[in-house]
């Protein structure tokens, strides 16, 4: 760590599997200070779209931005890759993945969806799937996911089947039984399963080993206090899932999807580098991320 506080070089990127909770819990005064930059006379009721981030995380982000601006070559060659790896290691433990190579960081869930469906479209073109084969989606899918299915699957001569919900989509929030649905898909011979869990991390339990999906995405800016743009794309290591590529092709093409995603040209990567600092903030609360989820769940139940 240099004098500006940014981890420009990481000699040992290995992290403990379960980072320790802070011995001192965050106080009400400290909590107000962390979000003092928010507009004070307007309620924020749409955290699910854009999230919020504390001053401590914003400060860490600004240090990374300065590292890039003050010496860009040193940042690129000596800081960026190790910093991204450190974030991926944190995420690996958060979602209980088998290996860090299953974890990539992308801009958002929309980008992750495009990456997965692009790979499926290529499989149509290569003859693995036949004209008329279908992608099945739930009615709850976001508009962005549905448009991506149209753009990639339907243009590749595939069909899209939308399973209707017994509930009006906009009238109720539901917790979809993902693990059970994936089991049904496996039993019915579904080739690949992709879960868009944009709200998952920091909101519900996320365990890749239990879920057993082929692909999973969740954003880090909604309920995990990272700045935008930062989201995860998990892909299960197997012989069937091995040809994933970022649609923005740059110098790292062919070096594995996590490495491709870590450099897609000159841009601001700082939001993807502060995942460890976001975890430090979360761990200042009683029970860490598990405690936050329990308290939020209780509060929603009381409000309902």
């Amino acid at each position: 760590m240099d004098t500006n506080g940014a981890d420009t070089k990481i000699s040992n990127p290995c992290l403990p599997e379960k980072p320790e909770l802070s011995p001192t819990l965050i106080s009400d005064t400290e909590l107000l200070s962390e979000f003092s930059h928010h507009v004070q006379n307007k309620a924020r009721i749409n955290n699910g779209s854009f999230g919020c981030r504390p001053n401590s995380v914003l400060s860490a982000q600004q240090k990374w931005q300065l590292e890039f601006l003050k010496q860009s070559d040193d940042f690129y060659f000596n800081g960026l890759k190790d910093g991204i790896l450190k974030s991926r290691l944190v995420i690996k433990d958060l979602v209980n993945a088998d290996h860090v190579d299953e974890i990539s960081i992308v801009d958002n869930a929309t980008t992750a969806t495009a990456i997965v469906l692009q790979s499926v479209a290529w499989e149509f073109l290569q003859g693995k799937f036949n004209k008329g084969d279908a992608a099945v989606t739930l009615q709850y899918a976001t508009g962005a996911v549905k448009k991506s299915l149209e753009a990639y699957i339907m243009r590749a001569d595939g069909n899209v089947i939308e399973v209707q919900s017994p509930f009006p989509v906009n009238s109720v929030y539901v917790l979809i039984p993902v693990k059970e649905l994936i089991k049904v898909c496996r039993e019915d011979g579904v080739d690949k399963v992709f879960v868009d869990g944009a709200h998952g991390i920091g909101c519900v339990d996320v365990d890749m080993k239990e879920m057993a999906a082929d692909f999973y995405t969740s954003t880090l800016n909604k309920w995990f206090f990272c700045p935008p743009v930062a989201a995860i794309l998990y892909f299960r290591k197997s012989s069937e899932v091995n040809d994933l590529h970022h649609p923005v092709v740059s110098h790292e093409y062919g070096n594995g999807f996590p490495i491709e995603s870590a450099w897609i040209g000159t841009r601001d990567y700082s939001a993807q580098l502060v995942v460890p600092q976001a975890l430090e903030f979360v761990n200042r609360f009683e029970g860490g991320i598990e405690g936050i989820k329990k308290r939020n769940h209780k509060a929603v139940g009381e409000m309902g």
Side-chain angles (χ1 to χ4, degrees), residues 55-99:
N55 281 322
S56 56
V57 174
L58 292 176
S59 177
Q61 181 186 24
Q62 290 165 359
K63 289 175 182 177
W64 276 113
Q65 290 170 331
L66 287 175
E67 284 299 308
F68 169 65
L69 295 173
K70 74 182 185 183
Q71 225 313 334
S72 302
D73 290 286
D74 183 60
F75 170 82
Y76 172 69
F77 287 106
N78 299 315
L80 178 59
K81 289 184 179 181
D82 281 346
I84 292 290
L85 176 58
K86 190 173 182 180
S87 290
R88 288 170 53 215
L89 285 163
V90 170
I91 296 166
K92 168 192 170 292
D93 291 337
L94 280 175
V95 302
N96 194 31
D98 276 321
H99 197 277

Side-chain angles (χ1 to χ4, degrees), residues 17-18 91-100 102-103 178-180 182-183 186 195 205-216 232 234-237:
E17 291 190 2
K18 292 185 178 180
I91 296 166
K92 168 192 170 292
D93 291 337
L94 280 175
V95 302
N96 194 31
D98 276 321
H99 197 277
V100 69
E102 297 178 318
I103 302 297
V178 173
K179 289 185 292 185
E180 291 77 6
I182 291 175
K183 183 179 179 181
R186 300 301 186 200
V195 178
D205 294 337
V206 178
D207 189 315
M208 293 298 98
K209 293 177 185 177
E210 288 187 4
M211 188 182 297
D214 296 298
F215 307 99
Y216 176 87
I232 76 163
Y234 162 89
F235 64 102
R236 184 169 57 90
K237 285 177 71 83

Side-chain angles (χ1 to χ4, degrees), residues 5-304:
D7 291 315
T8 55
K9 293 183 180 179
I10 302 172
S11 58
N12 182 8
C14 295
L15 300 176
E17 291 190 2
K18 292 185 178 180
E20 294 182 1
L21 301 180
S22 173
T24 305
L25 299 180
I26 190 169
S27 67
D28 290 342
T29 301
E30 290 172 325
L31 188 58
L32 289 173
S33 176
E34 285 279 15
F35 296 99
S36 60
H37 55 284
H38 285 183
V39 176
Q40 299 300 306
N41 61 349
K42 292 184 179 179
R44 296 171 62 96
I45 59 175
N46 192 22
N47 195 79
S49 286
F50 304 109
C52 59
R53 57 281 324 161
N55 281 322
S56 56
V57 174
L58 292 176
S59 177
Q61 181 186 24
Q62 290 165 359
K63 289 175 182 177
W64 276 113
Q65 290 170 331
L66 287 175
E67 284 299 308
F68 169 65
L69 295 173
K70 74 182 185 183
Q71 225 313 334
S72 302
D73 290 286
D74 183 60
F75 170 82
Y76 172 69
F77 287 106
N78 299 315
L80 178 59
K81 289 184 179 181
D82 281 346
I84 292 290
L85 176 58
K86 190 173 182 180
S87 290
R88 288 170 53 215
L89 285 163
V90 170
I91 296 166
K92 168 192 170 292
D93 291 337
L94 280 175
V95 302
N96 194 31
D98 276 321
H99 197 277
V100 69
D101 286 348
E102 297 178 318
I103 302 297
S104 299
I105 305 179
V106 296
D107 285 359
N108 46 50
T110 304
T111 301
T113 301
I115 290 167
V116 173
L117 294 183
Q118 173 190 249
S119 71
V120 176
W122 274 108
E123 289 179 322
F124 270 96
L125 296 175
Q126 293 164 350
K128 180 173 182 178
F129 297 127
N130 300 316
K131 182 177 180 179
D133 283 350
V136 180
T137 183
L138 298 179
Q139 184 183 8
Y140 297 115
T142 66
V145 170
K146 292 178 181 180
K147 286 294 185 181
S148 293
L149 287 165
E150 177 184 340
Y152 290 103
I153 304 304
M154 295 179 68
R155 288 180 66 192
D157 288 329
N159 291 330
V160 175
I161 299 173
E162 185 174 306
V163 178
Q164 299 300 303
S165 164
F167 307 103
V169 173
N170 295 321
S171 68
V172 64
Y173 291 98
V174 297
L175 185 61
I176 299 172
V178 173
K179 289 185 292 185
E180 291 77 6
L181 287 175
I182 291 175
K183 183 179 179 181
V184 171
C185 288
R186 300 301 186 200
E187 292 172 350
D188 287 348
V190 172
D191 188 78
K192 292 183 178 69
V193 178
F194 168 53
V195 178
D196 174 10
H199 291 262
I201 291 182
C203 193
V204 296
D205 294 337
V206 178
D207 189 315
M208 293 298 98
K209 293 177 185 177
E210 288 187 4
M211 188 182 297
D214 296 298
F215 307 99
Y216 176 87
T217 187
S218 185
T219 57
L220 298 168
N221 65 285
K222 295 180 184 296
W223 302 101
F224 197 67
F225 302 104
C226 281
V229 287
I232 76 163
L233 176 55
Y234 162 89
F235 64 102
R236 184 169 57 90
K237 285 177 71 83
S238 70
S239 57
E240 290 80 24
V241 183
N242 58 10
D243 195 28
L244 209 61
H245 294 284
H246 201 287
V248 179
V249 177
S250 192
H251 301 289
E252 298 291 357
Y253 179 80
N255 291 330
F257 181 71
I259 305 302
E260 288 184 18
S261 298
W263 180 260
I264 55 172
T266 302
R267 52 158 297 175
D268 184 358
Y269 292 90
S270 59
Q272 301 178 4
L273 292 163
V274 296
V275 178
Q277 285 73 33
L279 181 61
E280 289 177 7
F281 175 74
V282 166
N283 282 344
R284 293 168 65 190
F285 291 83
E286 183 179 0
I289 192 170
E290 296 300 323
I292 291 175
K293 287 188 294 187
K294 290 178 181 178
R295 286 188 293 276
N296 285 347
H297 181 77
K298 180 180 178 182
V300 169
E302 292 173 347
M303 288 186 290

